Amino acid sequence: MLPERPMKTLFLLPFIIFGLTANATNYYFSVTGNDANNGTSTSTPWQTIAKFNSVFSSRSPGDSLLFKRGDTFYGSLTISRSGSSGSPITIGAYGTGSKPVITGFTTVSAWTNLGSNIWESTAAVSTLATCNMVTINGVNTPMGRYPNTGYLTFQSHSGTTSITSSSLTGTPNWTGAALVVRSSQWTLDQTFITAQSGGTLTYSPALSYTPTDGFGYFIQNDSRTLDTVNEWYYNPSTKKIQIYSTSSPTNVQVTTQDVLATVHGAYITFDGLSFTGANSNAFWNDWGGMTNLNIQNCSILFSGINAVKLANCANFKIENSTILNSNNIGIRLDDNSNPYATIRNNTIQNTGIY
């Protein structure tokens, strides 16, 4: 009887593998669903990203969480669990039509006329301290700035915390506005003016590099810069937005979610989704231990800072995807902590325009 034992072991192995694979489950989301459903069929889908986040921590390797094509879901995904090698957790799509959209955009439709072609949102439009992305009629629209084009020049500086320019007299006083300084040939630093004395601007935080005298700067995110159609200003105190327009603004969207996908897990695949309207980064992680994140067949649109910003992510892949209108960087892999990245067959356009 002893010779039969190897045959029994080999015979049972396929059934063990089959049993493990069969445990993978698909979960479905639709804007017409209900979070009280079981989510396990297209006829009983869940509805919201809040539900997605509440159940994700109990998902298993091989599971798929699928959003209905043609639907739009507002909010930020939190990836709090890992798949495994050969059995990733997949966040994808089902049905027919356009990619399902994960969005951080809020539409602003109620406006108050302040006079002089300045319109202010009747209510707060966000809970965030900043607004980095506004679209009007589907177009990435820059905030107001002074001067409207080009740079002013500074003649001297003090360390990395102040510059002095003959272009300024102290009136108006720009304290509280954002300051953008070309601190090196390859860097535009944004900081905030904390004091002004004549032509000297003091600011915080400090610049990344010691500025070079004779380089340029401009001022933005202040209501007094609004003098061109569709320029905007976001008030960090009232959380209202102002727009320069000859009539009541229409088709205005502002970003109100900082991140659209926070990834704290390994062996995760995003497939066939559209991410639009992140105030900072569409995809982001901030701690180590994450490996094998795969983004494929996705669209990442209108990111206020970066489309993808990762640290400590080995074996990252992004393939066959489109990245458009990122205000800073399309794909940012920090330091040397992202070994073996694969970036191929992607379209990346309109990066760092404003």
Side-chain angles (χ1 to χ4, degrees):
M1 298 298 293
L2 289 176
E4 295 181 4
R5 289 184 179 178
M7 294 181 63
K8 289 181 180 179
T9 302
L10 292 172
F11 184 71
L12 290 173
L13 185 59
F15 292 94
I16 295 171
I17 295 173
F18 177 79
L20 291 174
T21 304
N23 288 333
T25 304
N26 289 346
Y27 300 91
Y28 300 90
F29 292 82
S30 168
V31 294
T32 59
N34 189 311
D35 287 347
N37 290 340
N38 60 23
T40 56
S41 74
T42 57
S43 59
T44 59
W46 289 321
Q47 184 182 37
T48 67
I49 287 180
K51 183 67 173 181
F52 175 100
N53 292 334
S54 70
V55 302
F56 195 91
S57 61
S58 59
R59 297 311 94 192
S60 300
D63 286 353
S64 295
L65 295 91
L66 308 174
F67 293 90
K68 187 176 181 181
R69 290 186 174 91
D71 283 0
T72 297
F73 303 84
Y74 173 83
S76 175
L77 305 178
T78 300
I79 308 305
S80 55
R81 191 168 177 85
S82 296
S84 62
S85 179
S87 296
I89 297 177
T90 299
I91 300 95
Y94 75 97
T96 59
S98 58
K99 293 183 180 74
V101 177
I102 310 299
T103 188
F105 272 134
T106 293
T107 298
V108 184
S109 55
W111 298 94
T112 299
N113 188 351
L114 301 183
S116 301
N117 294 326
I118 305 294
W119 297 78
E120 182 176 70
S121 59
T122 303
V125 298
S126 177
T127 61
L128 301 179
T130 63
C131 180
N132 297 321
M133 175 67 69
V134 172
T135 65
I136 301 178
N137 296 317
V139 177
N140 183 5
T141 304
M143 68 175 65
R145 51 170 283 179
Y146 172 75
N148 286 328
T149 60
Y151 297 85
L152 301 174
T153 301
F154 59 92
Q155 286 74 41
S156 62
H157 67 279
S158 176
T160 57
T161 58
S162 78
I163 57 174
T164 299
S165 170
S166 60
S167 300
L168 302 177
T169 64
T171 304
N173 188 303
W174 292 104
T175 299
L179 175 68
V180 179
V181 181
R182 188 182 180 196
S183 56
S184 72
Q185 291 281 7
W186 58 89
T187 306
L188 288 177
D189 266 324
Q190 177 175 278
T191 183
F192 295 92
I193 301 169
T194 57
Q196 179 176 353
S197 177
T200 299
L201 302 176
T202 302
Y203 45 81
S204 180
L207 303 182
S208 302
Y209 301 91
T210 300
T212 301
D213 294 344
F215 274 27
Y217 70 96
F218 58 87
I219 295 166
Q220 63 181 12
N221 206 46
D222 188 291
S223 61
R224 292 167 295 178
T225 66
L226 303 183
D227 58 7
T228 301
V229 171
N230 289 339
E231 285 187 332
W232 57 271
Y233 157 66
Y234 178 75
N235 188 317
S237 298
T238 65
K239 308 296 192 293
K240 294 181 179 181
I241 185 174
Q242 295 180 11
I243 291 180
Y244 187 94
S245 179
T246 56
S247 59
S248 181
T250 58
N251 300 318
V252 177
Q253 290 189 305
V254 302
T255 52
T256 56
Q257 290 283 334
D258 246 355
V259 177
L260 298 182
T262 300
V263 185
H264 289 164
Y267 295 100
I268 301 295
T269 295
F270 291 89
D271 188 3
L273 302 172
S274 179
F275 294 84
T276 183
N279 190 55
S280 57
N281 309 296
F283 285 85
W284 178 76
N285 82 307
D286 63 336
W287 57 283
M290 188 181 80
T291 65
N292 295 277
L293 169 62
N294 185 15
I295 301 172
Q296 59 190 34
N297 309 310
C298 289
S299 300
I300 310 174
L301 314 175
F302 298 110
S303 301
I305 301 180
N306 309 303
V308 178
K309 183 179 185 294
L310 304 175
N312 300 303
C313 180
N315 301 309
F316 165 66
K317 288 185 180 180
I318 180 167
E319 302 177 288
N320 305 310
S321 294
T322 299
I323 296 175
L324 302 178
N325 293 297
S326 305
N327 276 349
N328 188 46
I329 294 172
I331 301 171
R332 175 174 173 174
L333 307 180
D334 281 350
D335 305 320
N336 295 314
S337 55
N338 298 277
Y340 315 117
T342 300
I343 303 171
R344 63 186 171 195
N345 298 331
N346 303 292
T347 297
I348 305 175
Q349 294 178 331
N350 296 343
T351 302
I353 299 294
Y354 303 124

